[in-house]
Amino acid sequence: MQKKILVVEDDRDLNSSISKFLNLKGFFTESAFDGNEALYKAYEKEFDLILLDVKLPYKNGFEVAKEIRSYKNTPIIFLTSLDSQKDIEKGFLSGADDYLSKPFSLNELHLRINAISRRVFKNETLIKIDEKISFDTQKLILLKENRPIHLTAKEVKLISLFLQNPNKIFSRDEIFESIYEYGEEPNEASLRVFINKLRNIIGKHKIQTVKNIGYKYVS
């Protein structure tokens, strides 16, 4: 399922740049431009993550985070030019999961988002792929109609990688680094076998080939 991110930033150009970048990375984004709008959207809708600027009109990010924390545990990353130790401590005490100082690169933001997603993923016990197929993240078992399907160790690593990063394009080298142990020789033919087996189980449309690059799992 496509992850939804609320981008709270009053600088409209920066908000637009962040949103467009995350859309290209496979995320759905919605924008808010002040504290009151952020609180309304966070209360009315479900998001997987909130990017929250500190210096906002009407209510600052620290106040917004505290209010959100009173009714939701949605992960929050603060985006701010305030980088003193006192401000950082205040941010975490307000309920932040991470803190990114401006100026920052969009690639670093993406890495922080993925890191939080992995932590959240580990806390989930069952990831639904469709109505019949799910993946047990504790037992590392793929289930079809509640019956376990045998996967090799590398196939388990591969399906886990895809589920943790839906809609993200992985190069073949990135996949090799994730599923092969140190000293093992990556094998292109074997990877195609792993991909085809997973496609036959979860649906051919779920794992797409990206020409000349690699593969992506479509949520």
Side-chain angles (χ1 to χ4, degrees), residues 56-79:
L56 292 170
Y58 306 123
K59 289 188 177 183
N60 66 48
F62 297 139
E63 295 171 316
V64 171
K66 283 183 179 179
E67 289 197 39
I68 290 173
R69 278 290 170 267
S70 69
Y71 54 84
K72 283 186 179 178
N73 290 318
T74 309
I76 295 172
I77 298 178
F78 273 127
L79 310 176

mmCIF file with all atom_site columns, all heavy atoms in Angstrom, residues 56-79:
data_model
loop_
_atom_site.group_PDB
_atom_site.id
_atom_site.type_symbol
_atom_site.label_atom_id
_atom_site.label_alt_id
_atom_site.label_comp_id
_atom_site.label_asym_id
_atom_site.label_entity_id
_atom_site.label_seq_id
_atom_site.pdbx_PDB_ins_code
_atom_site.Cartn_x
_atom_site.Cartn_y
_atom_site.Cartn_z
_atom_site.occupancy
_atom_site.B_iso_or_equiv
_atom_site.pdbx_formal_charge
_atom_site.auth_seq_id
_atom_site.auth_comp_id
_atom_site.auth_asym_id
_atom_site.auth_atom_id
_atom_site.pdbx_PDB_model_num
ATOM 1   N N   . LEU A 1 56 ? 5.995  27.818 12.089 1.00 0.00 ? 56 LEU A N   1
ATOM 2   C CA  . LEU A 1 56 ? 4.749  27.830 11.321 1.00 0.00 ? 56 LEU A CA  1
ATOM 3   C C   . LEU A 1 56 ? 3.843  28.958 11.781 1.00 0.00 ? 56 LEU A C   1
ATOM 4   O O   . LEU A 1 56 ? 3.879  29.347 12.954 1.00 0.00 ? 56 LEU A O   1
ATOM 5   C CB  . LEU A 1 56 ? 4.004  26.501 11.511 1.00 0.00 ? 56 LEU A CB  1
ATOM 6   C CG  . LEU A 1 56 ? 4.625  25.238 10.927 1.00 0.00 ? 56 LEU A CG  1
ATOM 7   C CD1 . LEU A 1 56 ? 3.882  24.015 11.437 1.00 0.00 ? 56 LEU A CD1 1
ATOM 8   C CD2 . LEU A 1 56 ? 4.580  25.276 9.399  1.00 0.00 ? 56 LEU A CD2 1
ATOM 9   N N   . PRO A 1 57 ? 2.999  29.485 10.901 1.00 0.00 ? 57 PRO A N   1
ATOM 10  C CA  . PRO A 1 57 ? 1.997  30.465 11.324 1.00 0.00 ? 57 PRO A CA  1
ATOM 11  C C   . PRO A 1 57 ? 0.973  29.841 12.270 1.00 0.00 ? 57 PRO A C   1
ATOM 12  O O   . PRO A 1 57 ? 0.700  28.643 12.195 1.00 0.00 ? 57 PRO A O   1
ATOM 13  C CB  . PRO A 1 57 ? 1.329  30.873 9.995  1.00 0.00 ? 57 PRO A CB  1
ATOM 14  C CG  . PRO A 1 57 ? 2.308  30.512 8.927  1.00 0.00 ? 57 PRO A CG  1
ATOM 15  C CD  . PRO A 1 57 ? 3.013  29.280 9.437  1.00 0.00 ? 57 PRO A CD  1
ATOM 16  N N   . TYR A 1 58 ? 0.417  30.649 13.148 1.00 0.00 ? 58 TYR A N   1
ATOM 17  C CA  . TYR A 1 58 ? -0.652 30.299 14.087 1.00 0.00 ? 58 TYR A CA  1
ATOM 18  C C   . TYR A 1 58 ? -0.185 29.401 15.230 1.00 0.00 ? 58 TYR A C   1
ATOM 19  O O   . TYR A 1 58 ? -0.333 29.747 16.394 1.00 0.00 ? 58 TYR A O   1
ATOM 20  C CB  . TYR A 1 58 ? -1.846 29.652 13.362 1.00 0.00 ? 58 TYR A CB  1
ATOM 21  C CG  . TYR A 1 58 ? -2.372 30.492 12.222 1.00 0.00 ? 58 TYR A CG  1
ATOM 22  C CD1 . TYR A 1 58 ? -2.444 29.991 10.935 1.00 0.00 ? 58 TYR A CD1 1
ATOM 23  C CD2 . TYR A 1 58 ? -2.779 31.817 12.439 1.00 0.00 ? 58 TYR A CD2 1
ATOM 24  C CE1 . TYR A 1 58 ? -2.917 30.771 9.877  1.00 0.00 ? 58 TYR A CE1 1
ATOM 25  C CE2 . TYR A 1 58 ? -3.240 32.607 11.392 1.00 0.00 ? 58 TYR A CE2 1
ATOM 26  C CZ  . TYR A 1 58 ? -3.303 32.082 10.113 1.00 0.00 ? 58 TYR A CZ  1
ATOM 27  O OH  . TYR A 1 58 ? -3.752 32.856 9.085  1.00 0.00 ? 58 TYR A OH  1
ATOM 28  N N   . LYS A 1 59 ? 0.369  28.244 14.925 1.00 0.00 ? 59 LYS A N   1
ATOM 29  C CA  . LYS A 1 59 ? 0.916  27.362 15.960 1.00 0.00 ? 59 LYS A CA  1
ATOM 30  C C   . LYS A 1 59 ? 2.227  26.801 15.460 1.00 0.00 ? 59 LYS A C   1
ATOM 31  O O   . LYS A 1 59 ? 2.302  26.337 14.317 1.00 0.00 ? 59 LYS A O   1
ATOM 32  C CB  . LYS A 1 59 ? -0.049 26.216 16.285 1.00 0.00 ? 59 LYS A CB  1
ATOM 33  C CG  . LYS A 1 59 ? -1.292 26.648 17.035 1.00 0.00 ? 59 LYS A CG  1
ATOM 34  C CD  . LYS A 1 59 ? -2.097 25.443 17.494 1.00 0.00 ? 59 LYS A CD  1
ATOM 35  C CE  . LYS A 1 59 ? -3.303 25.912 18.310 1.00 0.00 ? 59 LYS A CE  1
ATOM 36  N NZ  . LYS A 1 59 ? -4.091 24.773 18.836 1.00 0.00 ? 59 LYS A NZ  1
ATOM 37  N N   . ASN A 1 60 ? 3.258  26.839 16.323 1.00 0.00 ? 60 ASN A N   1
ATOM 38  C CA  . ASN A 1 60 ? 4.546  26.318 15.865 1.00 0.00 ? 60 ASN A CA  1
ATOM 39  C C   . ASN A 1 60 ? 4.554  24.785 15.890 1.00 0.00 ? 60 ASN A C   1
ATOM 40  O O   . ASN A 1 60 ? 3.652  24.141 16.424 1.00 0.00 ? 60 ASN A O   1
ATOM 41  C CB  . ASN A 1 60 ? 5.707  26.902 16.688 1.00 0.00 ? 60 ASN A CB  1
ATOM 42  C CG  . ASN A 1 60 ? 5.696  26.456 18.136 1.00 0.00 ? 60 ASN A CG  1
ATOM 43  O OD1 . ASN A 1 60 ? 5.548  25.288 18.445 1.00 0.00 ? 60 ASN A OD1 1
ATOM 44  N ND2 . ASN A 1 60 ? 5.865  27.420 19.048 1.00 0.00 ? 60 ASN A ND2 1
ATOM 45  N N   . GLY A 1 61 ? 5.591  24.216 15.280 1.00 0.00 ? 61 GLY A N   1
ATOM 46  C CA  . GLY A 1 61 ? 5.665  22.774 15.141 1.00 0.00 ? 61 GLY A CA  1
ATOM 47  C C   . GLY A 1 61 ? 5.705  22.024 16.463 1.00 0.00 ? 61 GLY A C   1
ATOM 48  O O   . GLY A 1 61 ? 5.159  20.915 16.569 1.00 0.00 ? 61 GLY A O   1
ATOM 49  N N   . PHE A 1 62 ? 6.344  22.616 17.480 1.00 0.00 ? 62 PHE A N   1
ATOM 50  C CA  . PHE A 1 62 ? 6.393  21.970 18.790 1.00 0.00 ? 62 PHE A CA  1
ATOM 51  C C   . PHE A 1 62 ? 4.980  21.815 19.361 1.00 0.00 ? 62 PHE A C   1
ATOM 52  O O   . PHE A 1 62 ? 4.613  20.761 19.891 1.00 0.00 ? 62 PHE A O   1
ATOM 53  C CB  . PHE A 1 62 ? 7.257  22.774 19.765 1.00 0.00 ? 62 PHE A CB  1
ATOM 54  C CG  . PHE A 1 62 ? 8.702  22.880 19.365 1.00 0.00 ? 62 PHE A CG  1
ATOM 55  C CD1 . PHE A 1 62 ? 9.384  24.074 19.516 1.00 0.00 ? 62 PHE A CD1 1
ATOM 56  C CD2 . PHE A 1 62 ? 9.391  21.797 18.848 1.00 0.00 ? 62 PHE A CD2 1
ATOM 57  C CE1 . PHE A 1 62 ? 10.725 24.179 19.159 1.00 0.00 ? 62 PHE A CE1 1
ATOM 58  C CE2 . PHE A 1 62 ? 10.727 21.883 18.486 1.00 0.00 ? 62 PHE A CE2 1
ATOM 59  C CZ  . PHE A 1 62 ? 11.392 23.089 18.651 1.00 0.00 ? 62 PHE A CZ  1
ATOM 60  N N   . GLU A 1 63 ? 4.182  22.871 19.232 1.00 0.00 ? 63 GLU A N   1
ATOM 61  C CA  . GLU A 1 63 ? 2.797  22.822 19.727 1.00 0.00 ? 63 GLU A CA  1
ATOM 62  C C   . GLU A 1 63 ? 1.968  21.828 18.927 1.00 0.00 ? 63 GLU A C   1
ATOM 63  O O   . GLU A 1 63 ? 1.171  21.062 19.497 1.00 0.00 ? 63 GLU A O   1
ATOM 64  C CB  . GLU A 1 63 ? 2.171  24.221 19.640 1.00 0.00 ? 63 GLU A CB  1
ATOM 65  C CG  . GLU A 1 63 ? 2.821  25.258 20.534 1.00 0.00 ? 63 GLU A CG  1
ATOM 66  C CD  . GLU A 1 63 ? 2.318  26.666 20.262 1.00 0.00 ? 63 GLU A CD  1
ATOM 67  O OE1 . GLU A 1 63 ? 2.186  27.038 19.078 1.00 0.00 ? 63 GLU A OE1 1
ATOM 68  O OE2 . GLU A 1 63 ? 2.052  27.386 21.245 1.00 0.00 ? 63 GLU A OE2 1
ATOM 69  N N   . VAL A 1 64 ? 2.155  21.844 17.622 1.00 0.00 ? 64 VAL A N   1
ATOM 70  C CA  . VAL A 1 64 ? 1.414  20.928 16.755 1.00 0.00 ? 64 VAL A CA  1
ATOM 71  C C   . VAL A 1 64 ? 1.734  19.475 17.105 1.00 0.00 ? 64 VAL A C   1
ATOM 72  O O   . VAL A 1 64 ? 0.837  18.636 17.238 1.00 0.00 ? 64 VAL A O   1
ATOM 73  C CB  . VAL A 1 64 ? 1.739  21.195 15.270 1.00 0.00 ? 64 VAL A CB  1
ATOM 74  C CG1 . VAL A 1 64 ? 1.152  20.105 14.374 1.00 0.00 ? 64 VAL A CG1 1
ATOM 75  C CG2 . VAL A 1 64 ? 1.204  22.563 14.846 1.00 0.00 ? 64 VAL A CG2 1
ATOM 76  N N   . ALA A 1 65 ? 3.021  19.180 17.281 1.00 0.00 ? 65 ALA A N   1
ATOM 77  C CA  . ALA A 1 65 ? 3.434  17.814 17.595 1.00 0.00 ? 65 ALA A CA  1
ATOM 78  C C   . ALA A 1 65 ? 2.824  17.335 18.915 1.00 0.00 ? 65 ALA A C   1
ATOM 79  O O   . ALA A 1 65 ? 2.358  16.195 19.021 1.00 0.00 ? 65 ALA A O   1
ATOM 80  C CB  . ALA A 1 65 ? 4.957  17.727 17.650 1.00 0.00 ? 65 ALA A CB  1
ATOM 81  N N   . LYS A 1 66 ? 2.833  18.199 19.921 1.00 0.00 ? 66 LYS A N   1
ATOM 82  C CA  . LYS A 1 66 ? 2.267  17.820 21.225 1.00 0.00 ? 66 LYS A CA  1
ATOM 83  C C   . LYS A 1 66 ? 0.785  17.476 21.098 1.00 0.00 ? 66 LYS A C   1
ATOM 84  O O   . LYS A 1 66 ? 0.307  16.505 21.697 1.00 0.00 ? 66 LYS A O   1
ATOM 85  C CB  . LYS A 1 66 ? 2.456  18.953 22.230 1.00 0.00 ? 66 LYS A CB  1
ATOM 86  C CG  . LYS A 1 66 ? 3.870  19.051 22.791 1.00 0.00 ? 66 LYS A CG  1
ATOM 87  C CD  . LYS A 1 66 ? 3.958  20.145 23.839 1.00 0.00 ? 66 LYS A CD  1
ATOM 88  C CE  . LYS A 1 66 ? 5.363  20.226 24.425 1.00 0.00 ? 66 LYS A CE  1
ATOM 89  N NZ  . LYS A 1 66 ? 5.473  21.317 25.432 1.00 0.00 ? 66 LYS A NZ  1
ATOM 90  N N   . GLU A 1 67 ? 0.059  18.296 20.321 1.00 0.00 ? 67 GLU A N   1
ATOM 91  C CA  . GLU A 1 67 ? -1.373 18.025 20.161 1.00 0.00 ? 67 GLU A CA  1
ATOM 92  C C   . GLU A 1 67 ? -1.620 16.733 19.388 1.00 0.00 ? 67 GLU A C   1
ATOM 93  O O   . GLU A 1 67 ? -2.510 15.952 19.736 1.00 0.00 ? 67 GLU A O   1
ATOM 94  C CB  . GLU A 1 67 ? -2.056 19.209 19.462 1.00 0.00 ? 67 GLU A CB  1
ATOM 95  C CG  . GLU A 1 67 ? -2.169 20.444 20.344 1.00 0.00 ? 67 GLU A CG  1
ATOM 96  C CD  . GLU A 1 67 ? -3.180 21.445 19.808 1.00 0.00 ? 67 GLU A CD  1
ATOM 97  O OE1 . GLU A 1 67 ? -4.233 21.015 19.305 1.00 0.00 ? 67 GLU A OE1 1
ATOM 98  O OE2 . GLU A 1 67 ? -2.902 22.651 19.883 1.00 0.00 ? 67 GLU A OE2 1
ATOM 99  N N   . ILE A 1 68 ? -0.846 16.523 18.333 1.00 0.00 ? 68 ILE A N   1
ATOM 100 C CA  . ILE A 1 68 ? -0.996 15.284 17.562 1.00 0.00 ? 68 ILE A CA  1
ATOM 101 C C   . ILE A 1 68 ? -0.722 14.076 18.441 1.00 0.00 ? 68 ILE A C   1
ATOM 102 O O   . ILE A 1 68 ? -1.427 13.066 18.394 1.00 0.00 ? 68 ILE A O   1
ATOM 103 C CB  . ILE A 1 68 ? -0.063 15.293 16.335 1.00 0.00 ? 68 ILE A CB  1
ATOM 104 C CG1 . ILE A 1 68 ? -0.552 16.321 15.307 1.00 0.00 ? 68 ILE A CG1 1
ATOM 105 C CG2 . ILE A 1 68 ? 0.005  13.905 15.687 1.00 0.00 ? 68 ILE A CG2 1
ATOM 106 C CD1 . ILE A 1 68 ? 0.393  16.514 14.132 1.00 0.00 ? 68 ILE A CD1 1
ATOM 107 N N   . ARG A 1 69 ? 0.293  14.186 19.283 1.00 0.00 ? 69 ARG A N   1
ATOM 108 C CA  . ARG A 1 69 ? 0.669  13.074 20.160 1.00 0.00 ? 69 ARG A CA  1
ATOM 109 C C   . ARG A 1 69 ? -0.413 12.744 21.188 1.00 0.00 ? 69 ARG A C   1
ATOM 110 O O   . ARG A 1 69 ? -0.423 11.649 21.759 1.00 0.00 ? 69 ARG A O   1
ATOM 111 C CB  . ARG A 1 69 ? 1.979  13.394 20.886 1.00 0.00 ? 69 ARG A CB  1
ATOM 112 C CG  . ARG A 1 69 ? 3.215  13.129 20.063 1.00 0.00 ? 69 ARG A CG  1
ATOM 113 C CD  . ARG A 1 69 ? 3.434  11.628 19.875 1.00 0.00 ? 69 ARG A CD  1
ATOM 114 N NE  . ARG A 1 69 ? 4.475  11.351 18.891 1.00 0.00 ? 69 ARG A NE  1
ATOM 115 C CZ  . ARG A 1 69 ? 4.259  11.140 17.609 1.00 0.00 ? 69 ARG A CZ  1
ATOM 116 N NH1 . ARG A 1 69 ? 3.013  11.143 17.143 1.00 0.00 ? 69 ARG A NH1 1
ATOM 117 N NH2 . ARG A 1 69 ? 5.249  10.912 16.783 1.00 0.00 ? 69 ARG A NH2 1
ATOM 118 N N   . SER A 1 70 ? -1.338 13.660 21.402 1.00 0.00 ? 70 SER A N   1
ATOM 119 C CA  . SER A 1 70 ? -2.402 13.400 22.374 1.00 0.00 ? 70 SER A CA  1
ATOM 120 C C   . SER A 1 70 ? -3.439 12.429 21.833 1.00 0.00 ? 70 SER A C   1
ATOM 121 O O   . SER A 1 70 ? -4.223 11.860 22.594 1.00 0.00 ? 70 SER A O   1
ATOM 122 C CB  . SER A 1 70 ? -3.083 14.716 22.781 1.00 0.00 ? 70 SER A CB  1
ATOM 123 O OG  . SER A 1 70 ? -3.832 15.254 21.699 1.00 0.00 ? 70 SER A OG  1
ATOM 124 N N   . TYR A 1 71 ? -3.452 12.218 20.488 1.00 0.00 ? 71 TYR A N   1
ATOM 125 C CA  . TYR A 1 71 ? -4.442 11.301 19.937 1.00 0.00 ? 71 TYR A CA  1
ATOM 126 C C   . TYR A 1 71 ? -3.912 10.363 18.855 1.00 0.00 ? 71 TYR A C   1
ATOM 127 O O   . TYR A 1 71 ? -4.617 9.456  18.422 1.00 0.00 ? 71 TYR A O   1
ATOM 128 C CB  . TYR A 1 71 ? -5.652 12.071 19.382 1.00 0.00 ? 71 TYR A CB  1
ATOM 129 C CG  . TYR A 1 71 ? -5.327 13.144 18.365 1.00 0.00 ? 71 TYR A CG  1
ATOM 130 C CD1 . TYR A 1 71 ? -5.151 12.851 17.022 1.00 0.00 ? 71 TYR A CD1 1
ATOM 131 C CD2 . TYR A 1 71 ? -5.214 14.472 18.766 1.00 0.00 ? 71 TYR A CD2 1
ATOM 132 C CE1 . TYR A 1 71 ? -4.862 13.836 16.091 1.00 0.00 ? 71 TYR A CE1 1
ATOM 133 C CE2 . TYR A 1 71 ? -4.932 15.467 17.841 1.00 0.00 ? 71 TYR A CE2 1
ATOM 134 C CZ  . TYR A 1 71 ? -4.765 15.151 16.516 1.00 0.00 ? 71 TYR A CZ  1
ATOM 135 O OH  . TYR A 1 71 ? -4.463 16.138 15.608 1.00 0.00 ? 71 TYR A OH  1
ATOM 136 N N   . LYS A 1 72 ? -2.641 10.539 18.424 1.00 0.00 ? 72 LYS A N   1
ATOM 137 C CA  . LYS A 1 72 ? -2.090 9.653  17.402 1.00 0.00 ? 72 LYS A CA  1
ATOM 138 C C   . LYS A 1 72 ? -0.605 9.410  17.635 1.00 0.00 ? 72 LYS A C   1
ATOM 139 O O   . LYS A 1 72 ? 0.092  10.264 18.199 1.00 0.00 ? 72 LYS A O   1
ATOM 140 C CB  . LYS A 1 72 ? -2.289 10.238 15.996 1.00 0.00 ? 72 LYS A CB  1
ATOM 141 C CG  . LYS A 1 72 ? -3.696 10.081 15.461 1.00 0.00 ? 72 LYS A CG  1
ATOM 142 C CD  . LYS A 1 72 ? -3.805 10.535 14.016 1.00 0.00 ? 72 LYS A CD  1
ATOM 143 C CE  . LYS A 1 72 ? -5.232 10.336 13.511 1.00 0.00 ? 72 LYS A CE  1
ATOM 144 N NZ  . LYS A 1 72 ? -5.387 10.828 12.113 1.00 0.00 ? 72 LYS A NZ  1
ATOM 145 N N   . ASN A 1 73 ? -0.130 8.258  17.158 1.00 0.00 ? 73 ASN A N   1
ATOM 146 C CA  . ASN A 1 73 ? 1.295  7.930  17.274 1.00 0.00 ? 73 ASN A CA  1
ATOM 147 C C   . ASN A 1 73 ? 1.998  7.987  15.919 1.00 0.00 ? 73 ASN A C   1
ATOM 148 O O   . ASN A 1 73 ? 3.045  7.358  15.728 1.00 0.00 ? 73 ASN A O   1
ATOM 149 C CB  . ASN A 1 73 ? 1.475  6.530  17.875 1.00 0.00 ? 73 ASN A CB  1
ATOM 150 C CG  . ASN A 1 73 ? 1.076  6.486  19.331 1.00 0.00 ? 73 ASN A CG  1
ATOM 151 O OD1 . ASN A 1 73 ? 1.398  7.399  20.092 1.00 0.00 ? 73 ASN A OD1 1
ATOM 152 N ND2 . ASN A 1 73 ? 0.374  5.439  19.722 1.00 0.00 ? 73 ASN A ND2 1
ATOM 153 N N   . THR A 1 74 ? 1.442  8.740  14.981 1.00 0.00 ? 74 THR A N   1
ATOM 154 C CA  . THR A 1 74 ? 2.046  8.863  13.654 1.00 0.00 ? 74 THR A CA  1
ATOM 155 C C   . THR A 1 74 ? 3.483  9.362  13.776 1.00 0.00 ? 74 THR A C   1
ATOM 156 O O   . THR A 1 74 ? 3.728  10.362 14.460 1.00 0.00 ? 74 THR A O   1
ATOM 157 C CB  . THR A 1 74 ? 1.251  9.859  12.785 1.00 0.00 ? 74 THR A CB  1
ATOM 158 O OG1 . THR A 1 74 ? -0.127 9.501  12.809 1.00 0.00 ? 74 THR A OG1 1
ATOM 159 C CG2 . THR A 1 74 ? 1.769  9.850  11.350 1.00 0.00 ? 74 THR A CG2 1
ATOM 160 N N   . PRO A 1 75 ? 4.458  8.700  13.145 1.00 0.00 ? 75 PRO A N   1
ATOM 161 C CA  . PRO A 1 75 ? 5.851  9.176  13.209 1.00 0.00 ? 75 PRO A CA  1
ATOM 162 C C   . PRO A 1 75 ? 5.978  10.618 12.692 1.00 0.00 ? 75 PRO A C   1
ATOM 163 O O   . PRO A 1 75 ? 5.317  10.997 11.716 1.00 0.00 ? 75 PRO A O   1
ATOM 164 C CB  . PRO A 1 75 ? 6.606  8.199  12.302 1.00 0.00 ? 75 PRO A CB  1
ATOM 165 C CG  . PRO A 1 75 ? 5.767  6.967  12.298 1.00 0.00 ? 75 PRO A CG  1
ATOM 166 C CD  . PRO A 1 75 ? 4.353  7.436  12.387 1.00 0.00 ? 75 PRO A CD  1
ATOM 167 N N   . ILE A 1 76 ? 6.827  11.407 13.345 1.00 0.00 ? 76 ILE A N   1
ATOM 168 C CA  . ILE A 1 76 ? 7.029  12.813 12.994 1.00 0.00 ? 76 ILE A CA  1
ATOM 169 C C   . ILE A 1 76 ? 8.512  13.101 12.809 1.00 0.00 ? 76 ILE A C   1
ATOM 170 O O   . ILE A 1 76 ? 9.333  12.738 13.664 1.00 0.00 ? 76 ILE A O   1
ATOM 171 C CB  . ILE A 1 76 ? 6.474  13.755 14.085 1.00 0.00 ? 76 ILE A CB  1
ATOM 172 C CG1 . ILE A 1 76 ? 4.947  13.607 14.191 1.00 0.00 ? 76 ILE A CG1 1
ATOM 173 C CG2 . ILE A 1 76 ? 6.842  15.206 13.796 1.00 0.00 ? 76 ILE A CG2 1
ATOM 174 C CD1 . ILE A 1 76 ? 4.344  14.363 15.377 1.00 0.00 ? 76 ILE A CD1 1
ATOM 175 N N   . ILE A 1 77 ? 8.850  13.737 11.694 1.00 0.00 ? 77 ILE A N   1
ATOM 176 C CA  . ILE A 1 77 ? 10.204 14.244 11.479 1.00 0.00 ? 77 ILE A CA  1
ATOM 177 C C   . ILE A 1 77 ? 10.125 15.768 11.445 1.00 0.00 ? 77 ILE A C   1
ATOM 178 O O   . ILE A 1 77 ? 9.406  16.339 10.618 1.00 0.00 ? 77 ILE A O   1
ATOM 179 C CB  . ILE A 1 77 ? 10.813 13.742 10.154 1.00 0.00 ? 77 ILE A CB  1
ATOM 180 C CG1 . ILE A 1 77 ? 10.933 12.219 10.141 1.00 0.00 ? 77 ILE A CG1 1
ATOM 181 C CG2 . ILE A 1 77 ? 12.195 14.375 9.933  1.00 0.00 ? 77 ILE A CG2 1
ATOM 182 C CD1 . ILE A 1 77 ? 11.492 11.663 8.831  1.00 0.00 ? 77 ILE A CD1 1
ATOM 183 N N   . PHE A 1 78 ? 10.851 16.430 12.353 1.00 0.00 ? 78 PHE A N   1
ATOM 184 C CA  . PHE A 1 78 ? 10.903 17.893 12.336 1.00 0.00 ? 78 PHE A CA  1
ATOM 185 C C   . PHE A 1 78 ? 11.870 18.371 11.259 1.00 0.00 ? 78 PHE A C   1
ATOM 186 O O   . PHE A 1 78 ? 12.975 17.830 11.095 1.00 0.00 ? 78 PHE A O   1
ATOM 187 C CB  . PHE A 1 78 ? 11.373 18.432 13.689 1.00 0.00 ? 78 PHE A CB  1
ATOM 188 C CG  . PHE A 1 78 ? 10.269 18.624 14.689 1.00 0.00 ? 78 PHE A CG  1
ATOM 189 C CD1 . PHE A 1 78 ? 10.347 18.062 15.943 1.00 0.00 ? 78 PHE A CD1 1
ATOM 190 C CD2 . PHE A 1 78 ? 9.151  19.386 14.368 1.00 0.00 ? 78 PHE A CD2 1
ATOM 191 C CE1 . PHE A 1 78 ? 9.334  18.247 16.874 1.00 0.00 ? 78 PHE A CE1 1
ATOM 192 C CE2 . PHE A 1 78 ? 8.135  19.574 15.289 1.00 0.00 ? 78 PHE A CE2 1
ATOM 193 C CZ  . PHE A 1 78 ? 8.220  19.002 16.546 1.00 0.00 ? 78 PHE A CZ  1
ATOM 194 N N   . LEU A 1 79 ? 11.453 19.396 10.526 1.00 0.00 ? 79 LEU A N   1
ATOM 195 C CA  . LEU A 1 79 ? 12.303 20.070 9.556  1.00 0.00 ? 79 LEU A CA  1
ATOM 196 C C   . LEU A 1 79 ? 12.464 21.506 10.049 1.00 0.00 ? 79 LEU A C   1
ATOM 197 O O   . LEU A 1 79 ? 11.494 22.251 10.128 1.00 0.00 ? 79 LEU A O   1
ATOM 198 C CB  . LEU A 1 79 ? 11.643 20.086 8.169  1.00 0.00 ? 79 LEU A CB  1
ATOM 199 C CG  . LEU A 1 79 ? 11.116 18.758 7.637  1.00 0.00 ? 79 LEU A CG  1
ATOM 200 C CD1 . LEU A 1 79 ? 10.415 18.966 6.297  1.00 0.00 ? 79 LEU A CD1 1
ATOM 201 C CD2 . LEU A 1 79 ? 12.258 17.758 7.482  1.00 0.00 ? 79 LEU A CD2 1
#
